Amino acid sequence: MAKGKIKVGTDGIYDARKLGGGRMVVLGFQHMFAMFGATVTVPLLTGLDISTTLLMAGLGTLLFHVFTKFKVPAFLGSSFAFIGGYTTIAPMLENDTPNKEMLPYACLGVACAGLIYLVLATVIKLIGINRVMKLFPPVVTGPIIIAIGLGLAPSAVSNCSSNWWLALIALALVIIFNIFGKGMVKIVPILLGIIGAYTVAAIVGNGFGVEGFAIDFSGVKEAAWIGFPIEWSSTVFGGVHDATKAITAIIAITPIALATVMEHIGDISAISATCGKNFINEPGLHRSLAGDGLATTIASLFGAPANTTYGENTGVLALSKVYDPRVVRIAAYFAILFSFCPKFAAVIESIPGAVVGGISFVLYGMISAIGVRNIVEAKVDFSKARNTIIAAVILVCALGIDSQKGVPFTIGQFNVKLSALAVAAIAGIVLNAIFPGKDYKFSADPVAETAEASEEK
């Protein structure tokens, strides 16, 4: 192999063993950039600390990899599913200042929700993955994966709308680097697209004063170089003193776990389809659930948002075709390192929303494309009315229900809200269970998972 060349298999997948340490570091940096925008959005919306969020995202990712035998290339970032819980228990105060008094109580509720994952993981281990996956055939998981990507699409368009020219520059750079690039350039298009578009914005906006392109560097100048990422009074240990408030938060927030478990299964299915390995079977859904749940509980106890497997990083996997979990762990190391550097966090926050939107155009679309591929490779028979109806209901529920409002309902005196994706998943699971004509057999090989023809009963 010539110097500087990167080994590519016959299937177009890059052999990470041939990349070398330096290239893997750059790939890890790209994964960190991909997750950063969405991960820091949750603390911005809820009032939680950004540095704590970064630290716990990195530590949570490493813990997840331990639970999954270091086999699953997933990054755990901030979960949006619990935002409703935070706003219910600890709504922002006047002038959008954080509700420091109530945030620890909301975090306690989220920590308890994480424990639900551990309970479900135990149940799955006891009854067996084959019985569980009968509820999640490709006709259910495929549309859910598609909905994950399409559900994120409006946020990409919203970010782009702040400056479409800048968004198109970022999008064009990603496409050019990925399609026409050679070697390392071809597998880090996201990172290069962000750097390139950011540079253009700084030159055109700050250098030439073109309106709409300028970057606000004030936060970068004011931020300290080094800072400890955890404030004791913001943790559950240092901020929870009222038993009544604690019980209220637990009852209000814990049921959200039923929704996020559905999202977890969809994300793991997407990662499995991307990598061509059935991670639901090996290392097992019980392991990934346990890792995700424990990471969520620990993060919440120390004042960070709930963790969840990140679709943005699945998009990076699909685009780069480098599936080595070590690359994702490098991103986790970076997140931990930079959590101690407020100035770096400020630099990332200064990236224009339009640049994030342009990059997201590709990432979110790749997730939906993975869902389509999952359906095609499983040979789901859409000539059968049952399959068509199931997919249709899932997509309409996921995309038709307001993502912000969800489906609220009341349990006693407490208000609970299911996300659109959770409603879609539940609807798909129920319809698949009650409709006759099931033709799916769970396989350890995702490529071999095909819908075997059978007569509708």
Side-chain angles (χ1 to χ4, degrees):
M1 185 174 66
K3 185 177 180 180
K5 297 290 185 179
I6 300 176
K7 179 68 174 178
V8 183
T10 55
D11 54 2
I13 298 173
Y14 290 92
D15 185 352
R17 292 172 297 179
K18 304 295 184 181
L19 289 173
R23 287 167 171 161
M24 289 185 69
V25 167
V26 176
L27 283 166
F29 206 60
Q30 176 175 250
H31 269 285
M32 193 198 68
F33 266 91
M35 68 85 188
F36 202 98
T39 292
V40 301
T41 298
V42 175
L44 288 175
L45 293 175
T46 59
L48 297 169
D49 186 78
I50 291 177
S51 294
T52 308
T53 299
L54 277 179
L55 175 65
M56 291 302 164
L59 292 176
T61 298
L62 296 180
L63 180 64
F64 177 86
H65 280 237
V66 170
F67 268 79
T68 55
K69 301 180 180 179
F70 302 98
K71 293 182 178 182
V72 183
F75 191 96
L76 268 60
S78 303
S79 172
F80 282 75
F82 288 93
I83 289 179
Y86 286 110
T87 56
T88 298
I89 301 300
M92 298 287 273
L93 303 177
E94 294 181 4
N95 301 322
D96 289 330
T97 55
N99 192 334
K100 294 288 188 179
E101 178 188 354
M102 293 303 299
L103 273 174
Y105 292 96
C107 287
L108 176 61
V110 176
C112 291
L115 296 178
I116 299 297
Y117 284 58
L118 301 182
V119 174
L120 293 176
T122 302
V123 172
I124 291 172
K125 178 63 176 177
L126 292 175
I127 68 175
I129 188 63
N130 288 330
R131 290 184 179 179
V132 174
M133 289 313 296
K134 286 180 180 179
L135 301 173
F136 303 99
V139 71
V140 173
T141 58
I144 289 175
I145 296 171
I146 294 172
I148 290 173
L150 294 181
L152 292 168
S155 69
V157 175
S158 177
N159 282 324
C160 290
S161 63
S162 61
N163 188 327
W164 276 102
W165 286 111
L166 189 56
L168 290 174
I169 290 171
L171 176 61
L173 288 174
V174 171
I175 294 173
I176 291 170
F177 288 134
N178 187 248
I179 300 298
F180 303 104
K182 302 294 184 182
M184 192 61 185
V185 170
K186 187 177 182 66
I187 57 178
V188 289
I190 302 298
L191 180 60
L192 294 177
I194 291 173
I195 294 174
Y198 189 89
T199 302
V200 170
I203 293 174
V204 176
N206 298 75
F208 293 96
V210 177
E211 186 178 355
F213 282 84
I215 298 174
D216 183 6
F217 290 108
S218 60
V220 179
K221 296 177 182 178
E222 296 171 1
W225 281 101
I226 299 176
F228 190 70
I230 297 177
E231 183 180 345
W232 185 253
S233 63
S234 298
T235 68
V236 170
F237 308 106
V240 173
H241 310 288
D242 189 314
T244 301
K245 292 179 180 178
I247 294 173
T248 299
I250 292 171
I251 294 175
I253 295 179
T254 299
I256 298 175
L258 299 177
T260 54
V261 164
M262 303 297 179
E263 295 180 6
H264 174 92
I265 294 173
D267 285 336
I268 296 299
S269 297
I271 296 172
S272 297
T274 301
C275 300
K277 296 180 180 180
N278 198 326
F279 295 125
I280 288 178
N281 184 72
E282 175 59 38
L285 181 61
H286 65 289
R287 285 182 170 273
S288 65
L289 269 175
D292 196 345
L294 191 57
T296 289
T297 296
I298 294 174
S300 300
L301 290 176
F302 285 94
N307 283 332
T308 186
T309 44
Y310 247 39
E312 286 84 350
N313 294 88
T314 304
V316 173
L317 292 173
L319 202 62
S320 68
K321 295 186 182 297
V322 176
Y323 307 142
D324 193 328
R326 291 177 298 173
V327 172
V328 179
R329 292 198 289 274
I330 290 172
Y333 299 141
F334 274 126
I336 295 170
L337 176 64
F338 289 121
S339 71
F340 290 87
C341 181
K343 191 171 287 291
F344 174 79
V347 170
I348 302 300
E349 286 182 68
S350 71
I351 296 176
V355 173
V356 176
I359 300 300
S360 300
F361 246 80
V362 178
L363 295 183
Y364 298 163
M366 290 295 291
I367 296 170
S368 293
I370 290 167
V372 174
R373 193 182 87 179
N374 191 29
I375 291 172
V376 171
E377 289 182 347
K379 299 181 180 178
V380 176
D381 186 0
F382 279 113
S383 67
K384 291 185 176 181
R386 73 175 309 276
N387 292 338
T388 304
I389 293 172
I390 291 170
V393 170
I394 290 173
L395 291 174
V396 171
C397 286
L399 303 178
I401 296 174
D402 190 306
S403 60
Q404 298 297 323
K405 297 179 180 179
V407 177
F409 57 94
T410 302
I411 299 179
Q413 59 179 338
F414 301 102
N415 296 320
V416 181
K417 181 176 71 174
L418 287 178
S419 68
L421 193 59
V423 173
I426 293 171
I429 292 168
V430 171
L431 291 178
N432 178 70
I434 64 177
F435 283 175
K438 300 178 184 64
D439 55 9
Y440 169 72
K441 292 183 179 180
F442 179 69
S443 168
D445 180 5
V447 178
E449 285 184 354
T450 58
E452 298 181 4
S454 66
E455 296 292 331
E456 285 195 3
K457 297 179 182 179

